[in-house]
Every structure is written in structure tokens, then in C-alpha cells.
Amino acid sequence: MMRWAGGLLLVLLWAFTSRATGFNIPYEVEQPPTIISHTASPIIALPFDNTLTIRCEARGNPPPQYRWTKDGQELNLPNISTVKTDNRNGTFMFHNKHFAQFRGKYRCFAFNKLGTAMTEEIEIIVPTPPKFPKEILDTIVIKEGEPITLHCNPPKGVAPLQIYWMSVGLQHIKQDERVSMGTNGNLYFSYALPKDSRKDYGCFAAFTRIRTIVQKTPMSVKVERLNPENNSSESVSATLPVRAPSLLLPSGVQTEKVLLKGQDLHLECIPGGYPTPNITWMKMGETLTDRIKLDNFKKLLTIPAVDEKDQGKYMCTAENSAGKAVHYFDVIVEEPPAWRTEPPQSQLSVIGSEVLIKCSVDGKPTPVITWRRNGKIFRDDRANNRRVLDDTVMLHKAGPEDSGVYQCEASNPHGSVLVNINVLVMDMAPLMLTKDFREYAVIEGGDIVMNCSVFSSPPSNISWTKEGTVVQGERVIFFENAQFLKIISTEKGDRGKYVCLANNTEGMASLTALLEVKEPTKIVVPPQDVQISSGNWTQLTCRPAYDKSLQDTFEVIWRKDGEEIFRSSKESSRYIMKGDLLEIRNVNLSDQGMYTCIARTSLDEDTATAFLTVLDVPDAPVSLKISDQESRNVTLSWIPGSDHNSSVTEFVVEYEESHWEPGRWKELHKVAGNQATAELFLHGDLNYQFRVYAVNAIGPGPPSEPTEKLKTPPAAPDRNPENIKIRGHLPHEMDISWNPLLPTEYNGPGLEYKVSYRKLEVEDKWQEHLVTRPSFTVRNTSTFAPYEIKIQSRNSLGWGPEPKPVTGYSGEDVVFWHCLRENVSVPSAPPHNVAVEVINTTVLRVSWSPVLPATVRGHLGGYNVYWERIKSFLSPDKILEERNSMSFPGNRTHVFVPGLEPFSEYRLTVNVFNKKGKGPKSDPVTFYTPEGVPVKVPILTTSHIQDDSVLLEWGPPPVTNGILTGYFLQYHCLNETSLEVIDSVELNITSPDITKQQLGGLVRGSLFRFDLSACTRAGCGPPLWTERYIPPSVDEVVTEPSNSTQRWFIGTLCAVALLTLLAVIVCFVMKTKGGKYAVKEKEDLFPDAESQGVNDTYEYRDDTVGDSVSRDSLVDYADGEGEFSEDGSFIGEYAGPRYRDSISEPSGPITVTA
């Protein structure tokens, strides 16, 4: 006991005083072998494998050699072609003809002069083909109601194994609560029935891994009836006695079940008895875990992945009305050997130190530990201070001869684990493992780690210096005994030469590291989100900035939705990368997504993203459905397709009918884009098909698949003809015509029209005629007499709706000589009560009382409006003869007349016309147009800049449209970059004769904009603007001008003199030729009001010659953009053809009457 305690104390003492360290020994240092890979055990040689390869690879310095043992004996591989070895390692391969020869347990040994490493045992299993034994089986004869067990006893083979019970005809034996198969493969019957009698019970064993199925000799079962008179094979005999439960599986009272931690526990109880017993489970002293699973009618209990908590005693109970039977299971959970934390690590120790190797292993049963050194058993040697104490090896005052490979192998009945521990006992000066003068580069602001890997024994003291100064500070971190120097958040000042110095008792070594700090890579112009229509092309820009010393490694990469776009990929042929541009040609919907630009060097990268949205026409709607198919009012519904990023504005329903125009699709109905149904009114007696397409801002999408054909029932016509025309080409006749119904509107066979007519307010009886053509002529009518006419449709199913009568006239009297002598064909009276309402300076509203129909003497064609500009109030003494007219077709009582001049006096008349000519003019009406605002001033200049003053000069407006009252000036101080207004000043110039203005107090070094408008009493016109930069002041600090300044001043004076001389010569030449250079320019710049009024009239037709009807279009007076309603209205649309921006709103309408 004292000896054991002393040994334990020694272990603890050495554990706390040992200087050994565990780490990976660098390859540059001589060292024993280390196994780096080998084939795991077991290896199953399958029949269809051609070869089998056993790997074993190690590293060491010197490079290791290899040897193998088989079943504990040295293995000498035969020198034949079917067995091959690898000269680089210990791997060997053999052909399948040698599989049986190589069955056994192998170990690989890798050795050099410093030691030997070994592998765990590698077992090669060569299974024999599974076979059922050939046997002759007697028929099993059993009484009805007794239990039956049919034994399978499958042969051994490669797992997994699946067992089936089938007949010779490969029909599965039906299993239920009475008949079931156990996990051992046997087939159990709780009680026998006559129907169980058969001669072909076959057990089939399937080994899926080796693709093999074997069959047992079929078994014969004969069930003898208790009551021979009952011949039914399906029913239970009425006299079948109740049988108490018994357990067919397992046998006995108690079963011990041992399994490994992590395996699945299977407990099975299969009962016999009648009625079929029920199975219940319990765990003695505890409740069953909620992880249990009951299968096969509760006969099989399963607990997955067991652990220690699942140990204990379980009981199954089989019970029926005759009694019960129980069985106990003693479940024991054990474990194979496993490392308690991690395997022991290799060690490096100095000469004379204490070496301790501890092998901590868990397992159940407790593992047995075997120690080896270089593959040979290592035993306790107290005399040489080499102790082996169970799981610990201690080396006292270790020397170089103790170096080698130590193996710890722990095993129990469930397996084993093995570890190789390299132990080096040596003294060695520092050896630098990192390359000298290694260059490091880092991006400014990033972190850098510089390496100074050292191997030495004992461990070295390491220090870092930069240009003779010890490296230290808050941004400096040392780790792994200063073998690594980390600088965080690097700065430009960190670049330079660093020296690492390592020393120990055996010597010293150093190395130099060079650090460069680079500019970061940035994307200065990132790509922007883009919306593009399909079929177009687009560009994404990604402009980077990076350290030019990294030019060789710099690249720009584009990714779409995380996938890189390659330059040479066929799928990316439409993607063209040019420098910092990505061009996408012929864009389609597949191009939509997130595009990422990556600007990358070998040190860093920057990314930017943009989303490309592809706009396209909508997809076709799907799932078209028609409801209410028995009527002509149906509802069509659909499911919209994708709108492809542009909202659907409308859905268009088209139809095709197969009788009149087969194959031609026509538009039937439109609904808003937020609807998915359409109410359709259909014509009768037609075969319809429908389809729908969607429309968005890009255009119409493809149509949907057509619906099935829909036959509508026939019906009477839904409408009557439209556009009824009554003409009197000849006296005493009236021609009636109309637009016929389309064939698709017939609604049935036998379409015809009923023409009804009577003289207006004279006859009560309608004259009726049935016709099939869309025209009819009424003869023997009065001259130009009014008639009422009705046209009604009908077919073989009935009449269309009751038509509304229209009014027309019979033929006019067109005797040519009569017209010439008495002029009775033109209107005989003018309009009365003509009134004028001035809307604004250029537009007025003209109204009148309608003329009597009898005075028109024919069809009323419309009205002519004539107006004459008498004078302008700007030049009241000047006589004007500006006459204009406009024609307004149709019967109306008011029109709008545009194109008037402001501040003028006008005279206006109106007459009516028919096809034969114009009637007399109305009494003239005199009216006045109000003042308007002036047009823009023609010129605005800035000059004479001196310090903070500017002189503005301008010309008066060429057209004032009123009495000029002055000018309105605004000047704004602008931001030079954004051009936003910083400050503004307003100035009213009340004199119309002023054409210049000096402005002072302007901020030097600023940009100014000047806006100038001319004004009348009606307001101010549109402004003209100009900009001027006010330069900053220059401090006069130089008292005496330098020679260079004097030369510059003299040169400037000479240039000015030369330019003046040239100007004088040019003026003289032009004057000699009679040119009017000055006068003409001034006239163009400042035309007088009179000349402007004469030359800038609207181009209306002059009515001073002739008296024919004017056919000028109102659109001519609105620059081709105006639209007039039926009454001639264009309010809000009209603008003058030349000075559109000079129109001002009037203060109120002015009404003038005759």
C-alpha cells in the first residue's frame, strides 16, 4: 500500500515539474514517423470487387519505411503481378482471386532511425456466399387452436439482411395480430386455423449489399380440425377452446440484453393463445421513456440510441381472458474504449527533464491499456527510472535515448483505440522556420500578422524590433510566445523593416520581415438600379480606385444573384465587360436580378450592388372559365399571368366565331387591369371561342389559350340599324339608307328590315314595307317636306326593339333658272340677337338666336362669323382694314372665336348658310378687347462690371399689347454647383422709358441671375434672363509693379488699339457700300408698335374680296394642337400662334351687344 502511494506521489510530482510540451514538430527537424492515414477496419471483400486496397501512409524525417504483420506474424507479400505495392508508402493492393488468402488481421508499421509508428488492427473479412442447407422437412401437423412456430434460421452473410415469408408463387404470407414474423426471421402463429394449412411456406433471405437472395426449402403445415363436420376454412370453430397465453418468443423467464451506447434497443414478445393475447410493457421501478416506439401490434418495443439511463429491467405481459404470461429483460448498456478528452499529444523535452505520458480512456467494461515503444511492448523498469503505472508512463531524467514513438492501446470486448505519441528529448538552438526577408502587404486600416515560427529546445525567447526600436503599443498584439506579431488598424507609418530575434541557452537566430501599407480598394462610382424594357440593352458602371502597386492582381468581377458572370461563358455571351462597364445586350426576363460588382486585389475588395428590373409585356392569362353557359349573358374569368414589373392597365377579351368569319379574332370587351372577370353579352345562334390578353405600359402581351367552343341559343335581333340617312336627290322622292346589321348580329335566320314612314305632324298612319336590302326609296313626296322614318329589324324568331323615329326631308327644288332669278334656294333671314362676350384679350364668345327653319330654305349647313379690326388703341389715328371670318358647321347658337389682337376695337356680323349659299348678314356688333401683357424684352445684357456693381441694359418689348407702364426686375444669388437660389431681390421700375439699370452691393465671388419682365396695366409678361459671375476682389499688396506686370499692361493697350482700328475700317467700308448696318439692327431690335401691328396679323382669309363661305379650320389658330367641341369651345386649349406666352387672363368677361 505504501509502495502504491509513493508511486502516486511521484506521478503527481512529475506532472507538475515536467517541462515537456505537446505540439506538432516541424518537418524540417529530424523526427520519428507519424501515421497520417490508413484504411479503417473492418474491410469486407465483396464478391463483385475486382481488387482490394489496404492503405498506410506516414510522414517523418528521414522518410519512413514500412512493414506489415498479419495475425501477429511478419507479412511477406508475394512478388506476383496480382499483388502490387506502392513504393511511396505502405499501401498494397491484391486481386479478388487472393481474397480468401488475405483474410485476417493486419497492422502497418512505419519506421526510421528515430522510431516506429503503428496502426490499429485492420481486419479483412471475406464472407462466404450465404446458403440455406439442403434438408428434407416433415409436414408440421397441429391441432386447430394450438400455436405454430416456423423456423427460418437464415445463413450468415454481409449485412443488411431482410427476411420475407412467401409462397412458391411469390405471394406474401399475410401477417396480422395472430400471424407475425419475429426479428429473428421465424414466423409465429398465436393459434392455428384450418386456413393455415398449406405446403409452400417459404423463407427468403435477401442480402442487399451482395445482391443475393436465398430460399429455404418450403415447409408444409397441416391443421387438424377439432370439429371434422365444419368444412369452412375461414371461420373459427364454434368449439375452439380458450387457451391461456404463452410466449413463443423469447423462451424462458428472463433474458439478458447487452448492447452498446448509441445502438437501438429491440425487445420482442410474441405470444401464443386463444383469443390472441394483448401485449403490455413496463420498466421495473421506473416509467417508460417517451422515446419508445411500439410496432407489430405492440409485440416489438424499440428505444433508439440508448444510453446509461435506459439500463434496467423491463417486463412484457401477454394477457387474454384465460390468463397471462410474463417475461423479463435485463438490459445492460456498455461502451467501447474512448478517449476521455483527447488522445495524448507528441512531446518535445530538454535533456534531463521529466517526461509524463498519460492515456486517459473511458469504457465499459473498463479498458485494458497496453503500452508499446516503437511497436514493442514497453514494461515497467524501475532500475532505469522508466515507470509504467497503468494509464501513465513516466521517464525520469530523460535522455536522447528515450526519444521514439510510444503507443497507448486501450481495449475491451467491444473494441480498441490506439494512439502514437512522438517523444523527442533533445537540446537545440533556435531554428527559423519562416522565410527571411518575407514581404507582407496590408490595406491601410486593416490588420496584419507577421510570422516568426521558431523551433528550439528549450523554447526560445522571442522579441521584435523595427529600425532598432522595440515594437510595442496598443495596436500591437503578440501570441504563441511572440512567434506571431499582429498589428491592428494599420497606418502608413507602420510600413518598414521588422526584425524578429529568437534565443535560448543553445544559441540565437533572427529574421527580417518587410511590411508595406497599401491604399484601400474602393468603388467610387457604384452601379445604379436600372429599369429596362425587354429587348433593349443597358450598361452598369462600376468605377473603382485602388493602389496602383497592386495593378497586376486587380480585377473587376461581376456576379448576378451570387453567380459569377464569366467572360467566355456561352450563357454569358450577351454580357460584355469593358473595363468598369458591364453591358447587357438584348435584355430578357432572365437578366433580372441583383448584380454585384466586386473590385478586388490580392489584399482586399469592395462590393456594390444594383438591381436590374426588366420590364416586359404581361404573360398570357390562364385558367379561363365561362359561367352561365346556357344564356347569352356569360361571365368569363381568368387568372392573370405575371405583369413583369409593369402593372397591367387593361385586359382585352377577344372572340372568334366559326360560322361567318372562322379563324378571325375580334375585340369584344375591355376591363380594367385590376379585374379578372368580364361580363359578356353575346349574339345568338353563334359558336364562340374566347381568349384574353393583358396590356401594360410596355405593350400587349400574348393571348391566352382559347376556351372551348360555346354555342349560344338563337333569339330575336338585339338592335335596329343605325346611321339612317335620308336624302332628296330628286324632287318628289326620298332615298332612305342605313347601316345593315353585321352577320354576327342576326341572332338567327331570316333577317329583314321593316321601313316605316309618315309625313311629320300631318299624317298619323305609318306606311310600312319589308325589305332585305339596306335601302328604300319613297316616291311621290312633297318638295322638301319633313318625314318621320323608322327602321326595325326582325328574323324568324321575332322583332328587334321598338325603333325611335328620325326626321328627314324629301328632295329640294333644284330648278337652276328659278334659283338664278328669284334666289329662293339660299337662306332668307339673318340671325337675330347677336351678342359678344369677351373672354380674354384674344378670345370672345359669340351667341345668337336660332333662325326659323322656314327661312333656311333647305338643310341648314351652319353659320359664318365675320369680324373686322377697326383700330388699335395704341395707334388710334391709324385706319386698319383687317377682316377675317370663320365657318362653323351645324345648328348651334354660340361659338368661340380666337385670334383677336389685344387693346383693339372690332366690328362683328353673323349669317347662316345651306348647300345653295349664304344668307344675309346680321346687324353689326361693336366690341373692344382689353389690354394684354407684353411679350419678352428682345435683349438683356450685363456690362461695366466694377467691383460689386453691374450695369443691365435691355430693349423695349416689340409687342406691348397695351400701354407700357414699366419693368419688373428680379436678381438671384445662385449656388454655383447646384444652381439653387440662395438669396433674391425684387425691383419695380415704374418708368417705361428706362432701358438700363445699375445694381450695386453684389456679393463678390458669386453667380447671379437677372430676370426682367415688361409690364402693362394688365400685368407683367414673361421674363428674359441672363447670368453673370462677379469675381472676387484682389488685395493690392504690391506697391511697385514688376517688369512682367508692366509688359502685360503694355501688351493689353496695344491689342485694344489694334481692335479699335479694325472696327473703324469695317464701318467705313460698310458705309461706302450703302449698308444700313446700324439702323437695320436697331429696327430689328426695337420695332415700333405700328409696324408690328401691321406685319404680325394672323393668317386668316381676308373677306374684303368675294363673299363665299369661309372654311378655315379652328386648328389653324392653335398651332395644330387645339381641339374644339361641337359648339366650337376650346377654352384652355387655345394659344396665339406667335406669342403664346403673352396671353393673360382677363379680370372678368366683357359682354357687348348690338
Side-chain angles (χ1 to χ4, degrees):
M1 187 71 179
M2 293 296 294
R3 179 180 175 185
W4 180 88
L8 178 61
L9 181 62
L10 183 61
V11 169
L12 294 173
L13 178 63
W14 284 352
F16 284 106
T17 59
S18 174
R19 297 182 59 194
T21 58
F23 66 107
N24 291 322
I25 301 170
Y27 186 73
E28 292 84 353
V29 179
E30 284 194 345
Q31 57 188 284
T34 299
I35 302 289
I36 56 177
S37 71
H38 66 87
T39 302
S41 180
I43 305 170
I44 300 176
L46 301 177
F48 43 79
D49 291 337
N50 291 325
T51 60
L52 202 62
T53 300
I54 312 299
R55 293 181 299 101
C56 179
E57 188 175 358
R59 67 177 178 86
N61 189 5
Q65 297 175 292
Y66 299 89
R67 63 184 178 86
W68 286 88
T69 63
K70 178 188 176 188
D71 298 329
Q73 302 297 320
E74 288 291 328
L75 174 66
N76 293 315
L77 293 172
N79 188 17
I80 55 178
S81 60
T82 52
V83 178
K84 297 181 180 180
T85 59
D86 192 332
N87 295 328
R88 297 169 298 177
N89 50 50
T91 300
F92 68 93
M93 179 193 71
F94 53 91
H95 197 268
N96 61 3
K97 64 173 64 176
H98 303 296
F99 280 4
Q101 176 185 347
F102 279 89
R103 182 188 288 116
K105 296 181 179 180
Y106 293 78
R107 281 192 195 269
C108 172
F109 295 85
F111 60 93
N112 64 12
K113 67 179 183 179
L114 298 178
T116 302
M118 61 183 284
T119 66
E120 300 170 350
E121 280 193 331
I122 304 171
E123 183 178 9
I124 297 178
I125 300 173
V126 183
T128 57
K131 291 181 181 179
F132 279 104
K134 291 183 179 180
E135 53 188 344
I136 299 174
L137 301 174
D138 296 330
T139 298
I140 300 172
V141 181
I142 198 162
K143 293 288 186 181
E144 182 181 9
E146 294 182 355
I148 311 174
T149 300
L150 300 182
H151 296 277
C152 181
N153 298 325
K156 292 184 179 179
V158 180
L161 168 65
Q162 292 179 324
I163 297 176
Y164 306 93
W165 282 89
M166 293 187 290
S167 66
V168 174
L170 300 181
Q171 297 296 317
H172 284 274
I173 304 299
K174 184 179 180 181
Q175 299 185 30
D176 52 24
E177 190 174 9
R178 181 180 69 90
V179 182
S180 59
M181 184 181 72
T183 55
N184 58 4
N186 295 340
L187 188 63
Y188 297 93
F189 297 75
S190 295
Y191 57 90
L193 292 176
K195 67 178 181 179
D196 298 327
S197 297
R198 62 190 306 156
K199 298 179 180 180
D200 58 352
Y201 283 98
C203 178
F204 294 80
F207 299 88
T208 55
R209 188 171 178 187
I210 59 174
R211 309 165 197 170
T212 301
I213 299 177
V214 292
Q215 178 184 1
K216 186 181 178 71
T217 302
M219 289 175 276
S220 177
V221 174
K222 181 180 180 181
V223 179
E224 295 182 343
R225 293 181 178 280
L226 294 178
N227 183 4
E229 296 179 357
N230 185 358
N231 294 323
S232 173
S233 62
E234 298 297 327
S235 61
V236 179
S237 299
T239 59
L240 190 64
V242 174
R243 181 182 291 273
S246 63
L247 288 176
L248 307 181
L249 181 74
S251 61
V253 177
Q254 181 167 328
T255 302
E256 184 177 84
K257 195 82 171 180
V258 178
L259 68 163
L260 297 181
K261 182 179 179 180
Q263 290 182 336
D264 294 345
L265 170 65
H266 299 287
L267 302 179
E268 191 172 28
C269 280
I270 299 180
Y274 177 78
T276 304
N278 292 321
I279 299 294
T280 57
W281 295 87
M282 66 176 295
K283 185 177 183 183
M284 310 299 288
E286 298 180 48
T287 56
L288 282 171
T289 174
D290 55 4
R291 293 166 27 241
I292 67 165
K293 181 181 178 184
L294 297 176
D295 295 304
N296 196 12
F297 302 98
K298 301 184 181 180
K299 300 172 189 177
L300 177 63
L301 178 145
T302 301
I303 301 178
V306 296
D307 56 23
E308 293 84 352
K309 294 182 293 184
D310 297 313
Q311 288 190 137
K313 186 163 289 192
Y314 293 77
M315 181 180 75
C316 80
T317 303
E319 185 174 7
N320 67 6
S321 58
K324 64 181 179 179
V326 298
H327 189 89
Y328 298 94
F329 297 89
D330 193 8
V331 177
I332 301 171
V333 179
E334 296 187 346
E335 295 183 59
W339 303 112
R340 186 169 298 160
T341 53
E342 61 179 15
Q345 302 297 309
S346 297
Q347 297 187 22
L348 173 66
S349 299
V350 297
I351 297 174
S353 64
E354 315 297 329
V355 177
L356 175 69
I357 308 173
K358 189 168 181 62
C359 192
S360 301
V361 183
D362 290 324
K364 186 178 180 181
T366 302
V368 176
I369 295 177
T370 302
W371 287 96
R372 294 182 178 86
R373 181 172 178 270
N374 295 328
K376 298 180 179 179
I377 298 297
F378 187 69
R379 292 184 172 86
D380 188 71
D381 186 1
R382 177 176 291 190
N384 294 317
N385 292 323
R386 307 294 182 257
R387 305 302 311 276
V388 177
L389 302 174
D390 194 16
D391 63 348
T392 304
V393 166
M394 294 175 290
L395 307 176
H396 178 54
K397 294 183 179 179
E401 67 278 4
D402 293 313
S403 298
V405 184
Y406 290 77
Q407 287 92 22
C408 168
E409 186 172 26
S411 59
N412 70 7
H414 304 300
S416 64
V417 291
L418 180 142
V419 64
N420 291 280
I421 307 115
N422 289 359
V423 175
L424 280 180
V425 181
M426 61 189 302
D427 289 343
M428 181 178 178
L431 171 66
M432 287 294 179
L433 304 177
T434 302
K435 180 182 176 182
D436 197 11
F437 284 96
R438 181 175 175 181
E439 296 180 354
Y440 296 87
V442 65
I443 297 299
E444 183 179 5
D447 300 345
I448 185 66
V449 176
M450 290 182 282
N451 189 7
C452 180
S453 295
V454 180
F455 180 79
S456 64
S457 183
S460 298
N461 295 317
I462 300 174
S463 61
W464 289 82
T465 60
K466 179 183 180 233
E467 298 174 357
T469 304
V470 175
V471 178
Q472 58 186 355
E474 294 180 353
R475 295 185 296 108
V476 175
I477 301 173
F478 298 99
F479 50 96
E480 291 195 21
N481 192 30
Q483 291 188 80
F484 295 93
L485 166 62
K486 182 177 183 179
I487 304 175
I488 61 176
S489 302
T490 53
E491 301 171 353
K492 289 288 187 181
D494 294 327
R495 64 159 55 106
K497 185 186 296 184
Y498 292 78
V499 176
C500 170
L501 179 65
N503 64 82
N504 67 0
T505 56
E506 304 300 315
M508 62 182 297
S510 66
L511 62 78
T512 300
L514 304 176
L515 177 63
E516 282 291 332
V517 181
K518 308 286 188 180
E519 295 288 340
T521 302
K522 295 181 179 178
I523 295 176
V524 294
V525 180
Q528 303 296 316
D529 292 346
V530 177
Q531 281 192 341
I532 186 74
S533 297
S534 179
N536 294 325
W537 68 276
T538 188
Q539 283 184 338
L540 297 176
T541 302
C542 179
R543 189 167 302 156
Y546 58 94
D547 196 300
K548 296 307 178 185
S549 65
L550 301 174
Q551 174 74 43
D552 293 340
T553 66
F554 175 75
E555 60 180 345
V556 174
I557 296 172
W558 288 91
R559 288 181 180 155
K560 177 183 177 292
D561 297 329
E563 296 292 331
E564 185 170 343
I565 301 173
F566 297 99
R567 296 177 185 270
S568 59
S569 171
K570 291 183 180 179
E571 293 80 5
S572 305
S573 59
R574 294 181 297 102
Y575 295 83
I576 299 175
M577 286 171 267
K578 301 177 182 177
D580 53 12
L581 293 178
L582 172 63
E583 182 177 309
I584 308 174
R585 296 182 177 178
N586 193 21
V587 173
N588 59 46
L589 290 171
S590 66
D591 298 317
Q592 178 167 301
M594 184 66 73
Y595 287 78
T596 303
C597 166
I598 305 173
R600 183 165 67 191
T601 66
S602 57
L603 296 181
D604 71 334
E605 65 180 37
D606 192 16
T607 63
T609 60
F611 195 86
L612 176 64
T613 302
V614 179
L615 308 178
D616 206 347
V617 297
D619 284 344
V622 296
S623 301
L624 273 65
K625 294 181 181 179
I626 304 173
S627 60
D628 303 325
Q629 298 191 21
E630 301 302 322
S631 68
R632 294 193 298 135
N633 292 328
V634 301
T635 301
L636 179 66
S637 62
W638 58 87
I639 298 176
S642 172
D643 63 5
H644 296 312
N645 306 304
S646 178
S647 298
V648 174
T649 56
E650 64 180 2
F651 289 99
V652 179
V653 181
E654 293 184 316
Y655 76 95
E656 181 258 355
E657 54 83 23
S658 59
H659 180 66
W660 298 102
E661 293 182 290
R664 181 180 178 187
W665 290 90
K666 299 179 181 178
E667 182 178 309
L668 176 63
H669 193 62
K670 290 183 179 180
V671 297
N674 58 357
Q675 291 183 225
T677 60
E679 303 294 330
L680 306 178
F681 179 74
L682 308 178
H683 298 298
D685 201 28
L686 292 176
N687 279 316
Y688 279 97
Q689 274 189 299
F690 304 100
R691 68 183 188 185
V692 182
Y693 65 86
V695 180
N696 63 10
I698 308 304
S704 66
E705 291 295 322
T707 64
E708 294 184 357
K709 289 187 180 295
L710 172 66
K711 173 69 173 178
T712 56
D718 295 314
R719 72 175 184 89
N720 294 311
E722 296 176 347
N723 195 21
I724 299 172
K725 298 177 181 177
I726 300 97
R727 295 185 177 91
H729 295 97
L730 296 173
H732 313 296
E733 284 190 3
M734 181 171 60
D735 295 328
I736 306 171
S737 63
W738 58 88
N739 290 348
L741 269 61
L742 298 174
T744 56
E745 298 175 322
Y746 289 177
N747 284 356
L751 183 78
E752 55 186 356
Y753 306 99
K754 183 175 73 173
V755 182
S756 305
Y757 59 91
R758 68 181 180 184
K759 201 169 184 180
L760 184 64
E761 298 178 356
V762 176
E763 298 177 2
D764 292 333
K765 184 178 180 181
W766 291 90
Q767 302 295 321
E768 296 179 348
H769 299 272
L770 283 172
V771 297
T772 57
R773 297 176 61 185
S775 63
F776 182 75
T777 300
V778 181
R779 293 181 171 83
N780 299 321
T781 63
S782 301
T783 302
F784 198 67
Y787 281 82
E788 283 186 296
I789 298 96
K790 295 190 297 183
I791 311 294
Q792 187 175 18
S793 307
R794 61 159 284 177
N795 62 17
S796 58
L797 282 87
W799 292 95
E802 181 64 26
K804 293 181 179 180
V806 296
T807 302
Y809 291 83
S810 59
E812 300 178 67
D813 184 359
V814 291
V815 180
F816 183 72
W817 63 270
H818 185 69
C819 292
L820 291 177
R821 292 180 62 185
E822 299 189 18
N823 196 27
V824 295
S825 61
V826 297
S828 60
H832 297 284
N833 301 322
V834 176
V836 173
E837 179 184 357
V838 178
I839 302 300
N840 58 31
T841 58
T842 61
V843 179
L844 70 150
R845 181 181 186 272
V846 183
S847 61
W848 55 83
S849 298
V851 296
L852 295 175
T855 65
V856 178
R857 304 176 72 183
H859 288 289
L860 188 147
Y863 293 86
N864 293 317
V865 178
Y866 307 87
W867 67 96
E868 177 185 359
R869 188 182 182 206
I870 300 173
K871 65 179 177 181
S872 168
F873 293 117
L874 293 175
S875 303
D877 298 330
K878 185 176 181 179
I879 299 174
L880 302 177
E881 293 184 355
E882 299 177 12
R883 295 184 178 87
N884 297 281
S885 66
M886 292 184 71
S887 178
F888 299 92
N891 189 9
R892 61 185 75 211
T893 59
H894 72 276
V895 294
F896 289 92
V897 176
L900 305 179
E901 295 292 335
F903 209 37
S904 300
E905 180 181 350
Y906 282 90
R907 183 182 296 119
L908 179 142
T909 58
V910 182
N911 68 3
V912 66
F913 65 88
N914 63 13
K915 288 194 295 183
K916 308 307 177 183
K918 296 179 287 187
K921 294 183 180 180
S922 66
D923 294 334
V925 177
T926 301
F927 64 92
Y928 310 98
T929 55
E931 282 190 75
V933 297
V935 299
K936 287 183 181 179
V937 298
I939 189 171
L940 175 64
T941 63
T942 58
S943 60
H944 193 63
I945 300 176
Q946 183 175 2
D947 294 338
D948 59 350
S949 297
V950 170
L951 178 65
L952 294 181
E953 295 183 278
W954 62 88
V959 177
T960 60
N961 291 327
I963 298 174
L964 192 66
T965 60
Y967 299 92
F968 178 66
L969 173 65
Q970 288 181 303
Y971 53 99
H972 316 280
C973 182
L974 304 180
N975 182 300
E976 292 185 46
T977 303
S978 64
L979 299 181
E980 293 180 351
V981 175
I982 300 174
D983 192 16
S984 297
V985 177
E986 297 180 352
L987 180 63
N988 282 312
I989 301 171
T990 56
S991 173
D993 299 325
I994 294 177
T995 57
K996 65 174 67 176
Q997 181 73 34
Q998 184 170 351
L999 304 175
L1002 303 180
V1003 179
R1004 297 170 181 170
S1006 299
L1007 178 66
F1008 282 86
R1009 189 182 77 210
F1010 304 92
D1011 299 337
L1012 182 72
S1013 302
C1015 303
T1016 65
R1017 288 176 294 184
C1020 296
L1024 182 67
W1025 62 272
T1026 185
E1027 290 182 352
R1028 171 67 71 176
Y1029 178 73
I1030 310 300
S1033 62
V1034 179
D1035 296 335
E1036 297 181 1
V1037 295
V1038 181
T1039 57
E1040 294 183 7
S1042 64
N1043 291 335
S1044 61
T1045 303
Q1046 292 174 353
R1047 286 195 297 271
W1048 177 84
F1049 181 74
I1050 294 171
T1052 301
L1053 291 179
C1054 292
V1056 171
L1058 180 60
L1059 291 173
T1060 304
L1061 179 61
L1062 288 174
V1064 171
I1065 294 172
V1066 170
C1067 292
F1068 178 80
V1069 171
M1070 292 183 67
K1071 187 172 183 181
T1072 302
K1073 291 182 178 181
K1076 299 180 181 180
Y1077 62 94
V1079 176
K1080 176 62 178 174
E1081 288 176 3
K1082 191 168 183 181
E1083 287 179 351
D1084 292 342
L1085 192 61
F1086 308 115
D1088 63 313
E1090 289 187 18
S1091 62
Q1092 191 67 18
V1094 171
N1095 296 332
D1096 290 344
T1097 59
Y1098 291 89
E1099 297 180 358
Y1100 298 134
R1101 182 179 55 80
D1102 194 335
D1103 281 342
T1104 56
V1105 180
D1107 198 26
S1108 62
V1109 178
S1110 171
R1111 301 298 181 190
D1112 290 348
S1113 170
L1114 294 184
V1115 178
D1116 294 338
Y1117 306 103
D1119 285 352
E1121 297 175 0
E1123 292 185 3
F1124 293 84
S1125 62
E1126 190 173 322
D1127 63 355
S1129 173
F1130 60 99
I1131 299 302
E1133 299 287 344
Y1134 177 79
R1138 182 166 302 185
Y1139 304 111
R1140 179 177 288 226
D1141 54 353
S1142 69
I1143 296 177
S1144 65
E1145 294 297 327
S1147 59
I1150 304 172
T1151 303
V1152 181
T1153 59

